[in-house]
Amino acid sequence: MVVKGDAKSQKTAAYLKTLIKDIYDDKNPDKIITIGGDGTFLKAVHLYESILDKVDFFVFNTGHLGYFSNFDIDSINDLLTKINSDSYQCSEFNLLEYKIQTGSNTISGIALNEVTIINPTRTLMLDVFLNNQLLEHFRGTGICISTPAGSTGYNKSLGGAVVDSSLEAFQVTEIASINSRIHHTLSSPLLLSKKHEVEFKAEDPTCIWITADSKSLTIENFQSLAIILSDRKVKFVRNDISFIERLKKNFI
Ligand code: NAP
Ligand code: MN
């Protein structure tokens, strides 16, 4: 279990623990229940990054947005039945894989929602490559690269498209790009298939910020960031809420 610190989430966790038959194993779980909101689910995904192929997530919402949630107080018995009988089906979410190159270091990782590259105080200057071909010289605040599951997160606030999570695609969305007589970028959100790798290279080594979901990294001497849609996936216990219902429930 990965549980948010508030009283309601803690109480729900204590209650569920008394009724779940599985042996509790924090180190090598095959089922993970997250109790809280989307932030708690994202935290759990990163906590168990190395064993994602082996675990099924039950996402219990205790009163946050909970876009990812498939259980709440009204369906707590359904959760218990599914977990105790081991009879449930899973949907899968695609992940992004990123690789950061600095002058002295390589840092890699995964993201379920998005990776962003940002400089909030100075104009970020990047050369953007698709499969090693130069697309544009970007000038602006930043760039957001999101999965279909993450398309309703930060990407949506940037005017990116909402994408059905059964599509094997990822999206590149600009954050306040400069477009003038001198500087040009594509300006539209760009939806790419799995065949593509997108790479951002610093024109000069600089300090920038990179986020992967709720995680944030300060990168000194940044050289490049490469991103692909990963073969690795997050397995998420399915419920009867359709994609359309999920959109209506959370946004309309
Ligand atoms: P947070 O500040 O609580 O997240 C902001 C909101 O986004 C919360 O209401 C969260 O739901 C919701 N959310 C997270 N993933 C979502 C998704 N895939 N679809 C729809 N809504 C989603 O921080 P957090 O809980 O750690 O979540 C991190 C995420 O926040 C990032 O991955 C990014 O997508 C998003 N974010 C958005 C902006 C923006 O829109 N300007 C800026 C930074 C980050 P809960 O209330 O259930 O946690
Ligand atoms: Mn949150």
Side-chain angles (χ1 to χ4, degrees), residues 3-14 35-37 40 62 64:
V3 187
K4 200 177 158 87
D6 65 288
K8 194 172 173 187
S9 302
Q10 294 289 329
K11 227 172 119 182
T12 307
I35 305 174
T40 312
T62 49
H64 307 271

Side-chain angles (χ1 to χ4, degrees), residues 37-39 42 64-68 113-114 149-150 152-154 157 213-214:
D38 294 322
L42 292 168
H64 307 271
L65 177 68
Y67 180 76
F68 285 107
N113 269 347
E114 75 283 291
T152 45
Y154 199 170
S157 309
D213 302 335
S214 325

